[in-house]
Amino acid sequence: MTEWHFYEPANGHGLAHDPLNAIVAPRPIGWIGSVSADGVRNLAPYSFFNLLNYHPPLLAFSSNGWKDSVANIEQTRAFTWNLATRALAEQMNQSAATVPGEVDEFTLANLDTAPSRKIDAPRVARSPASFECVLTQLIRLETRGGEQVDTWLVIGEVVGIHIDRAMLENGTYQTARAHPILRGGGPADYFEITDAAKFAMKRPG
């Protein structure tokens, strides 16, 4: 017989670490590049992130607190998403440091930038895939009772996509070839996608 640990989030989880983001995991990383109206570059990873729509392509990330990424995107209405890989894991982690707004995280993490074509926000040059995004909605989240919380949902339309051609085979993007990393739960857990973890399953007709 299954024994269940049940809790109501409003009353606390009663565990060593909040299990919420370990259960909904692993999660793709929103490695977001932006630039302020004054020209200060910013790069930060967000684990509350995902693709939302095909046509037009829409993606979103949420920020716990009004952080530099959100402020920059509100000002300029543009940002990039950059694929975080195992080879870039340490630099991605460095870009998560809490630093003053005038600090350039690209420089902090020793990352070269690449220019975007449709927007002004910078890309991570070594990332094998990057999206150029234009803000469509900036939403402050609310509780079920309508109380605002200090979390901001940023939705952007993808207007340009950069792919390292080495990631393509016969016109198909090879997901595992880039060795993308995903956020797990607990204080420090990440996962790497490799071909060994792949299985195929087609949708019913």
Side-chain angles (χ1 to χ4, degrees):
M1 182 177 178
T2 302
E3 295 185 5
W4 299 96
H5 175 80
F6 173 79
Y7 71 95
E8 297 177 49
N11 298 327
H13 49 74
L15 300 172
H17 295 284
D18 191 335
L20 184 67
N21 60 0
I23 296 169
V24 185
R27 301 181 308 285
I29 298 168
W31 204 10
I32 305 300
S34 64
V35 62
S36 72
D38 296 329
V40 179
R41 301 181 306 185
N42 182 270
L43 180 66
Y46 293 86
S47 70
F48 290 150
F49 161 83
N50 221 315
L51 188 67
L52 301 181
N53 194 55
Y54 264 128
H55 305 293
L58 298 172
L59 56 78
F61 72 93
S62 67
S63 173
N64 297 131
W66 184 266
K67 297 179 180 176
D68 292 333
S69 298
V70 181
N72 291 349
I73 294 166
E74 183 195 40
Q75 293 169 4
T76 66
R77 303 192 65 80
F79 63 96
T80 63
W81 170 77
N82 305 273
L83 182 65
T85 65
R86 186 66 186 90
L88 293 169
E90 295 299 327
Q91 289 96 327
M92 181 278 298
N93 194 43
Q94 289 174 356
S95 72
T98 302
V99 294
E102 64 269 18
V103 173
D104 180 335
E105 285 87 357
F106 284 92
T107 301
L108 180 69
N110 195 28
L111 287 165
D112 291 332
T113 62
S116 295
R117 294 193 183 187
K118 307 290 290 185
I119 61 174
D120 291 332
R123 299 184 293 117
V124 175
R126 288 178 55 203
S127 179
S130 298
F131 296 169
E132 301 181 20
C133 307
V134 174
L135 177 69
T136 61
Q137 292 173 271
L138 177 56
I139 303 166
R140 187 170 186 177
L141 300 187
E142 298 180 351
T143 68
R144 60 183 177 178
E147 180 182 353
Q148 291 184 327
V149 297
D150 190 22
T151 300
W152 305 84
L153 178 66
V154 179
I155 303 175
E157 180 176 340
V158 181
V159 297
I161 297 176
H162 302 259
I163 303 172
D164 181 346
R165 289 186 183 274
M167 300 298 115
L168 301 173
E169 185 174 314
N170 298 323
T172 300
Y173 181 82
Q174 303 299 302
T175 300
R177 188 171 292 177
H179 293 267
I181 55 173
L182 306 156
R183 188 68 171 95
D189 291 349
Y190 287 84
F191 294 86
E192 176 184 359
I193 291 180
T194 65
D195 272 321
K198 181 175 70 175
F199 67 96
M201 183 169 57
K202 292 185 177 180
R203 294 181 182 179

